[in-house]
């Protein structure tokens, strides 16, 4: 195993899909794959005698929706998940912690022990939602190095690649980040130059993601 002291780790906790990535020893980003070889993890949990996370949870949830939880990112910061799970009200932080713990296990399988990470969140997340995300990580046994906005992460990734490729980044540039996710929609205008990033303006909608598109289409077909 490579030492996690020599690599950086980041988690993208999505409404529908989550992902872990590292910056390897050569300074390049690298997506973490689980034991099955997959890197995209459905943000889904199934409760029965055991707790199941990811693709298997999706399959079990189709047969038994009473033990199934998904899209709990939308409820982070609230007292409990939007519906009961097995007749119980479950805090979104607990559900998120199970997801983070599963991702940590994938990272351990690929690169070794993990203790800390950076977590990305939507630009619209307020302090309450950010604190709840940090609490979820704590429940999973993960130390949060920083919580950054998803559009900012995208801009940093671009700037990092430009520096690695030795492209000039001294001249100020403006970048529009269009982030249409499974549950959210964010647009952020950023300016970056000489390794400095500044958010000029941002806006978003928590109920304008791919999931909402699906539900609207289903509603039209049902009607």
């Amino acid at each position: 195993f490579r030492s996690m002291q020599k690599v950086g780790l980041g988690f993208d906790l999505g409404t529908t899909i989550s992902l872990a990535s590292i910056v390897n020893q050569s300074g390049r980003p690298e997506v973490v794959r689980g034991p099955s070889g997959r890197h995209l993890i459905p943000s889904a949990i199934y409760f029965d005698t055991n707790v199941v996370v990811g693709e298997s949870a999706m399959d079990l949830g189709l047969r038994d929706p009473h033990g199934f939880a998904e899209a709990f990112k939308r409820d982070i910061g609230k007292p409990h998940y939007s519906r009961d799970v097995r007749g119980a009200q479950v805090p979104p932080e607990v559900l998120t912690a199970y997801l983070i713990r599963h991702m940590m296990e994938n990272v351990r399988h690929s690169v070794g022990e993990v203790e800390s990470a950076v977590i990305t969140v939507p630009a619209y997340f307020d302090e309450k939602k950010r604190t709840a995300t940090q609490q979820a990580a704590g429940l999973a046994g993960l130390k949060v190095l920083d919580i950054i906005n998803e559009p900012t992460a995208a801009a940093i990734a671009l700037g990092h690649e430009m520096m690695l490729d030795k492209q000039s980044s001294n001249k100020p540039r403006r970048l529009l980040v269009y982030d249409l996710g499974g549950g959210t929609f964010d647009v952020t205008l950023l300016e970056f130059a000489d390794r400095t990033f500044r958010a000029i303006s941002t806006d978003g909608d928590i109920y304008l993601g791919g999931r909402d598109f699906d539900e609207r289409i289903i509603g039209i077909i049902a009607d």
Side-chain angles (χ1 to χ4, degrees):
F1 289 134
R2 286 171 287 180
S3 171
M4 287 305 296
Q5 296 178 349
K6 297 182 180 180
V7 298
L9 174 65
F11 285 156
D12 177 15
L13 307 176
T15 304
T16 54
I17 296 290
S18 293
L19 179 74
S21 181
I22 64 168
V23 177
N24 61 29
Q25 295 175 8
S26 65
R28 294 283 182 179
E30 179 182 328
V31 172
V32 176
R33 297 181 181 274
S36 65
R38 296 178 179 177
H39 59 281
L40 297 178
I41 303 171
S43 303
I45 302 174
Y46 177 79
F47 293 89
D48 199 2
T49 53
N50 296 313
V51 178
V52 181
V53 181
E55 196 75 38
S56 298
M58 295 287 291
D59 296 337
L60 292 168
L62 289 173
R63 297 195 292 265
D64 180 19
H66 298 291
F68 184 63
E70 63 172 346
F72 38 84
K73 178 178 178 177
R74 287 185 159 181
D75 297 317
I76 197 79
K78 296 180 181 179
H80 53 80
Y81 178 48
S82 57
R83 62 180 181 81
D84 291 355
V85 181
R86 295 264 180 244
Q89 293 182 339
V90 185
E93 292 86 348
V94 172
L95 298 171
T96 305
Y98 278 114
L99 175 62
I100 292 174
R101 189 174 298 171
H102 178 78
M103 296 174 71
M104 290 171 65
E105 291 173 359
N106 286 347
V107 173
R108 289 191 185 103
H109 179 269
S110 298
V111 297
E113 193 62 31
V114 52
E115 295 180 354
S116 57
V118 172
I119 296 179
T120 64
V121 297
Y124 70 84
F125 259 28
D126 57 22
E127 192 59 35
K128 188 175 182 179
K129 292 178 180 293
R130 292 169 192 267
T131 299
T133 302
Q134 192 158 358
Q135 290 172 344
L139 289 173
L142 180 73
K143 178 183 177 182
V144 179
L145 295 175
D146 199 3
I147 292 181
I148 63 176
N149 292 344
E150 291 163 0
T152 303
I156 291 173
L158 175 62
H160 180 68
E161 285 297 316
M162 290 176 63
M163 284 184 285
L164 287 178
D165 294 336
K166 303 186 183 304
Q167 297 182 36
S168 174
S169 58
N170 293 325
K171 183 178 180 181
R173 294 183 58 186
R174 288 190 173 183
L175 178 71
L176 181 67
V177 180
Y178 178 99
D179 183 2
L180 178 58
T184 64
F185 172 70
D186 283 335
V187 173
T188 302
L189 182 63
L190 296 144
E191 184 176 76
F192 66 100
D194 195 23
R195 304 189 183 188
T196 300
F197 298 82
R198 181 172 70 94
I200 298 173
S201 182
T202 187
D203 199 5
D205 192 329
I206 187 173
Y207 296 112
L208 193 59
R211 181 183 182 89
D212 302 288
F213 285 45
D214 292 346
E215 290 178 355
R216 183 62 62 87
I217 293 171
I218 290 171
I220 294 172
I221 294 172
D223 290 342

